[in-house]
Amino acid sequence: MRIAMANDHAAAAMRSELVAFLKKGNHEVLDCGTDTPDPVDYPDTAEKAMEAMLDGRADRAILVCGTGLGMSYVGNKFPGMRCALCTDEYSARMAREHNDANVLALRARRMDIDQNLRIIDTFLNTRFPGEARHKKRIAKIAAIENRLKERK
Ligand code: RB5
């Protein structure tokens, strides 16, 4: 898969292992930074990764910050994007099976690297079975998005 990866300074120490894991799994990584511990605003790197998703240059995005929260807010601002903040494998599996999430937000702080690797693995390798009840609910998210667009 082509994966757009973005992080802020809080995840700078963890990111090289995440990128290496993705490459080892034969994924193509579109690296949107940052690779230094110098403070960077998470919306800036996240936006680059999300633009790649919108343009069709990436199949999935992985966004990592201290809590994963800020990144998830940004990920969910983009039309058609369902960004799931996952702190365990169960939420990663459900995000795919029930919500067809296409963007994964991760927490770097107070999180074991191996746990984040397992979450990534689960997220990337779980397919959306496409059950009608889940499709209907996802379509309702899109409908809300469209109604809000019309209000502008
Ligand atoms: C940076 O200190 C921190 O605020 C950021 O990484 C993230 O946790 C924001 O949601």
Side-chain angles (χ1 to χ4, degrees):
M1 269 187 219
R2 298 166 306 160
I3 299 171
M5 159 104 194
N7 61 279
D8 73 355
H9 53 284
M14 182 178 277
R15 64 162 252 131
S16 60
E17 282 190 68
L18 302 184
V19 170
F21 177 78
L22 292 171
K23 287 185 175 169
K24 206 172 143 199
N26 285 323
H27 296 291
E28 192 184 308
V29 179
L30 176 64
D31 191 349
C32 301
T34 181
D35 61 359
T36 78
D38 302 329
V40 61
D41 298 331
Y42 57 83
D44 295 336
T45 56
E47 185 178 11
K48 287 182 193 161
M50 295 309 298
E51 284 292 345
M53 286 291 288
L54 276 189
D55 294 353
R57 285 179 286 126
D59 307 303
R60 296 276 186 272
I62 298 179
L63 314 174
V64 199
C65 66
T67 58
L69 290 166
M71 285 297 199
S72 67
Y73 306 146
V74 179
N76 282 307
K77 290 286 175 204
F78 286 73
M81 299 295 149
R82 292 175 297 282
C83 176
L85 169 57
C86 297
T87 54
D88 57 31
E89 289 160 84
Y90 175 72
S91 51
R93 185 161 63 79
M94 287 296 123
R96 290 289 309 129
E97 287 185 354
H98 285 201
N99 315 123
D100 195 16
N102 44 10
V103 180
L104 172 66
L106 291 172
R107 187 177 89 191
R109 291 185 180 141
R110 302 184 183 197
M111 199 70 179
D112 194 59
I113 175 77
D114 289 331
Q115 196 169 0
N116 267 342
L117 294 179
R118 284 196 297 273
I119 290 169
I120 290 176
D121 193 46
T122 302
F123 187 81
L124 295 180
N125 290 306
T126 304
R127 52 178 282 280
F128 175 56
E131 287 172 48
R133 66 198 162 115
H134 297 310
K135 278 186 165 173
K136 183 184 80 177
R137 292 162 190 163
I138 292 165
K140 287 189 175 189
I141 298 175
I144 291 171
E145 206 169 86
N146 287 333
R147 284 200 293 277
L148 290 173
K149 220 184 291 169
E150 280 161 20
R151 257 172 45 171
K152 279 177 195 159

